[in-house]
């Protein structure tokens, strides 16, 4: 993409309405525009990052054997009356009537809708196990939408639902989700710590939240300092292996990290004093096991191998896709702007032309642009007639992890400059080597 032809409405001034850094930077970098309280338009740069996050979510869900589909956002109240949640959900549910006077609602979550599809089409234990999921807009009429996309009213969520014959199978589905979420967040450059939590309006009594540690997090967390040392890394995972998923869950949850309300019940006190930590965390996902809560109310039954009709065991599993855009920025920025992890960056590399209009400099930039594109990468080429300082400030603000700077002085010595946004370190390399350097970085991303 050439910046002269892109739509990147960056703001020079700090917007006054933004209280936290991710909100401020998303507005300044031209990623979002508020449409009304807690509702945002996603401008091209913000949309691109959200799509990258969504792609990773899909890839990891599919790897775990889960099946994507799509549900309507507007749903009939009748289904929600069957579960008792039309009245039970409270003020957070946005209700409306259609022209026939029928009660409708904008889906805040989708347990009922998925259970309804299941009961209509699945009758036998032979069709289990089954996990269906979607990535779809949700609406919750939060009393205090704030912090930009972190606590919106309209937000984009991956929500998945497992259907299993027994509690044991459903707990494997739960563990499988936990493991796939660890991998998902790691690919986004985040360490998200799974912690036992309260279930709220989703129900059930077994749930883990995934928290990214950041000062601006809304949850208070208590943890053993050792939890921040463990990573899934390059481990091979067999999602069908009950044993492997269980042991990874144990490894990642053995240190009893807990969120605020439930921490009394745990053994935080038994952690050696020097390793006890309390901090704030951003909840980027949550998984639930709630057994037959919805399947009994909605009549989602299958015949088991004895011919008995039994309600299926279920759980639901969510990832806050739009919230993650903000959470990643909270975890990765400096005073100049955003620093995208390679896995989610909107463009792989920036190209800054220091002397637009100079034949040699323009030609070198074009060679880099087509070279990177031919390697399957997406560069953002700042080809505007702007001062160098302004170009650097824009690149730093929008946070591309790598920048190639091209100017007549370097070219005289046959080199361009490759700079890491994170470390600020630069290397001078001939064009061909600069291309290989950037390609090498993205080999695994
Ligand atoms: N049905 C279950 C699992 S799919 C569910 O709705 N879980 S949830 O309520 O925990 O939401 C899943 C994730 O969506 C949360 O972990 C959070 O990351 C994100 N989320 C929830 N509310 C908001 C909000 N108001 N704004 C942005 N993201 C949100």
């Amino acid at each position: 993409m050439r910046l002269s032809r892109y739509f990147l409405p960056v703001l020079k001034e700090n917007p006054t309405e933004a209280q936290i850094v991710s909100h401020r930077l998303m507005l300044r970098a031209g990623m979002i525009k508020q449409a009304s309280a807690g509702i945002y338009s996603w401008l091209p740069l913000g949309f691109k990052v959200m799509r990258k996050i969504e792609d990773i979510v899909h890839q990891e869900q599919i790897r775990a054997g889960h099946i994507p589909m799509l549900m309507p956002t507007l749903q009939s109240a009748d289904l929600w009356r069957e579960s008792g949640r039309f009245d039970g959900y409270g003020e957070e549910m946005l209700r409306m009537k259609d022209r026939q006077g029928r009660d409708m609602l904008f889906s805040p979550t989708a347990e009922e809708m998925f259970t309804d599809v299941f009961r209509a089409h699945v009758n036998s234990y032979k069709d289990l196990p089954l996990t269906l999921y979607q990535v779809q807009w949700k609406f919750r009429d939060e009393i205090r939408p704030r912090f930009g996309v972190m606590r919106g009213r309209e937000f984009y969520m991956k929500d998945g639902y497992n259907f299993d014959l027994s509690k044991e199978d459903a707990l494997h589905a739960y563990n499988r989700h936990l493991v796939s979420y660890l991998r998902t967040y790691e690919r986004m450059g985040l360490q998200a710590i799974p912690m036992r939590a309260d279930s709220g309006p989703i129900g059930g009594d077994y749930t883990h939240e995934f928290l990214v540690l950041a000062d601006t997090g809304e949850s208070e967390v208590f943890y053993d300092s050792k939890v921040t040392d463990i990573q899934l890394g390059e481990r091979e995972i067999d999602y069908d292996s009950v044993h492997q998923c269980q042991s990874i869950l144990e490894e990642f949850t053995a240190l009893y990290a807990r969120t605020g309300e439930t921490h009394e019940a745990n053994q935080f006190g038994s952690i050696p004093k020097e390793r006890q930590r309390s901090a704030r965390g951003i909840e980027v996902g949550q998984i639930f096991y709630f057994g037959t809560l919805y399947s009994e109310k909605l009549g989602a039954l299958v015949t088991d191998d004895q011919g008995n009709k039994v309600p299926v065991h279920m759980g639901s599993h969510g990832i806050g896709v739009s919230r993650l855009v903000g959470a990643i920025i909270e975890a990765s920025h400096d005073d100049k702007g955003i620093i995208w992890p390679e896995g989610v960056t909107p463009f792989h590399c920036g190209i800054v032309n220091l002397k637009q209009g100079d034949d040699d400099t323009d030609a070198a930039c074009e060679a880099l642009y087509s070279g990177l594109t031919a390697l399957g990468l997406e560069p953002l080429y700042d080809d505007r007639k702007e001062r160098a300082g302004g170009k650097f400030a824009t690149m730093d603000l929008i946070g591309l992890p790598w920048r190639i700077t091209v100017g007549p002085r370097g070219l005289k010595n046959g080199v361009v400059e490759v700079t890491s946004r994170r470390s600020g370190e630069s290397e001078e390399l001939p064009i061909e080597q600069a291309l290989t350097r950037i390609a090498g970085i993205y080999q695994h991303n």
Side-chain angles (χ1 to χ4, degrees):
M1 179 57 67
R2 289 162 204 276
L3 194 47
S4 63
R5 297 190 200 162
Y6 197 46
F7 181 61
L8 185 72
V10 297
L11 305 179
K12 291 248 152 43
E13 304 298 324
N14 267 332
T16 49
E17 73 266 33
Q19 298 163 15
I20 60 168
V21 70
S22 59
H23 189 194
R24 190 162 68 234
L25 289 174
M26 286 181 76
L27 291 168
R28 284 203 48 214
M31 295 176 67
I32 50 167
K33 179 183 182 305
Q34 184 174 315
S36 55
I39 303 179
Y40 291 87
S41 302
W42 289 80
L43 306 182
L45 193 75
F47 181 56
K48 216 161 186 311
V49 174
M50 191 158 71
R51 288 274 285 266
K52 290 256 173 144
I53 292 172
E54 184 181 352
D55 284 348
I56 293 176
V57 167
H58 276 296
Q59 286 162 15
E60 294 306 325
Q61 284 303 300
I62 288 165
R63 206 195 298 278
H66 307 157
I67 304 166
M69 57 181 288
L70 191 63
M71 294 298 193
T73 52
L74 295 186
Q75 304 181 357
S76 159
D78 293 344
L79 193 55
W80 290 70
R81 290 201 172 98
E82 283 187 59
S83 70
R85 283 207 296 183
F86 187 63
D87 295 320
Y89 212 97
E91 296 286 309
E92 270 190 22
M93 183 189 277
L94 180 67
R95 298 144 211 264
M96 64 204 92
K97 284 190 193 292
D98 68 9
R99 66 200 297 168
Q100 261 82 36
R102 285 183 292 239
D103 288 317
M104 307 284 291
L105 57 98
F106 196 118
S107 173
T109 172
E111 280 75 9
E112 286 79 355
M113 206 71 191
F114 276 85
T115 310
D116 182 52
V117 165
F118 180 88
R119 72 180 172 183
H121 297 289
V122 182
N123 302 306
S124 162
Y125 75 97
K126 290 181 187 151
D127 296 323
L128 305 182
L130 181 66
T131 295
L132 302 171
Y133 78 93
Q134 66 173 345
V135 182
Q136 177 62 296
W137 292 96
K138 302 289 182 301
F139 195 94
R140 292 181 189 172
D141 205 352
E142 301 273 350
I143 190 159
R144 226 151 73 85
R146 57 187 182 146
F147 300 161
V149 300
M150 299 260 273
R151 182 163 294 282
R153 292 197 298 162
E154 188 185 53
F155 60 97
Y156 204 42
M157 190 214 277
K158 172 260 157 181
D159 47 326
Y161 304 82
N162 69 284
F163 302 91
D164 287 278
L165 185 60
S166 64
K167 175 171 181 179
E168 198 187 1
D169 291 351
L171 289 176
H172 173 57
Y174 184 96
N175 298 350
R176 194 175 63 227
H177 277 88
L178 184 134
V179 175
S180 72
Y181 280 23
L182 292 172
R183 176 135 288 168
T184 302
Y185 298 122
E186 281 185 18
R187 282 189 60 191
M188 297 175 191
L190 288 176
Q191 185 169 34
I193 306 169
M195 303 190 188
R196 279 300 296 273
D198 296 327
S199 62
I202 306 298
D205 54 13
Y206 185 46
T207 174
H208 279 88
E209 290 178 342
F210 289 78
L211 293 167
V212 171
L213 299 180
D215 294 342
T216 42
E218 291 188 284
S219 318
E220 188 177 20
V221 299
F222 299 87
Y223 64 98
D224 183 325
S225 61
K226 282 194 151 179
V227 294
T228 52
D229 297 341
I230 27 178
Q231 282 240 325
L232 223 43
E234 300 290 313
R235 273 184 247 189
E236 286 275 333
I237 290 161
D238 173 5
Y239 283 106
D240 289 332
S241 164
V242 171
H243 171 73
Q244 194 189 15
C245 292
Q246 173 70 30
S247 70
I248 291 175
L249 175 132
E250 281 166 15
E251 179 187 347
F252 278 77
T253 57
L255 300 158
Y256 301 119
R258 293 266 184 166
T259 54
E261 309 90 80
T262 42
H263 85 280
E264 311 293 2
N266 81 14
Q267 296 133 358
F268 188 64
S270 67
I271 301 168
K273 266 246 154 12
E274 67 280 8
R275 293 200 335 234
Q276 289 181 9
R277 298 279 186 284
S278 77
R280 305 208 64 84
I282 302 167
E283 181 205 317
V284 291
Q286 189 162 1
I287 55 176
F288 301 83
Y289 166 73
F290 42 68
T292 57
L293 186 68
Y294 294 89
S295 55
E296 280 186 39
K297 284 186 175 140
L298 277 79
L301 309 176
V302 291
T303 22
D304 66 13
D305 59 356
Q306 309 293 310
N308 305 314
K309 286 250 172 219
V310 292
V312 285
H313 286 256
M314 292 175 58
S316 69
H317 315 276
I319 294 182
V321 175
S322 51
R323 175 178 289 184
L324 272 164
V325 182
I328 292 168
I329 297 174
E330 289 295 328
S332 185
H333 66 269
D334 63 14
D335 53 6
K336 292 187 222 149
I338 303 165
I339 307 173
W340 293 116
E342 274 82 0
V344 300
T345 184
F347 295 95
H348 297 102
C349 178
I351 302 171
V352 169
N353 185 335
L354 293 179
K355 199 168 184 195
Q356 201 72 42
D358 172 80
D359 286 348
D360 290 346
T361 318
D362 290 359
C365 287
E366 291 298 334
L368 283 164
Y369 188 81
S370 52
L372 288 165
T373 309
L375 288 164
L377 298 173
E378 249 188 308
L380 180 68
Y381 171 22
D382 192 343
D383 59 342
R384 298 169 304 160
K385 282 217 154 64
E386 280 261 346
R387 317 176 281 113
K391 290 190 175 187
F392 289 141
T394 302
M395 284 293 174
D396 285 346
L397 174 64
I398 68 170
L400 309 188
W402 296 91
R403 184 185 79 207
I404 305 180
T405 310
V406 186
R409 210 178 316 152
L411 287 179
K412 226 192 282 168
N413 303 320
V415 294
V416 295
E417 190 185 56
V418 176
T419 308
S420 155
R421 173 73 181 83
R422 195 171 291 278
S423 70
E425 281 164 20
S426 296
E427 299 164 71
E428 294 200 326
L429 298 170
I431 289 185
E432 276 308 315
Q433 282 182 35
L435 290 172
T436 333
R437 176 88 176 90
I438 302 291
I441 290 158
Y442 286 103
Q443 224 162 20
H444 303 294
N445 272 294

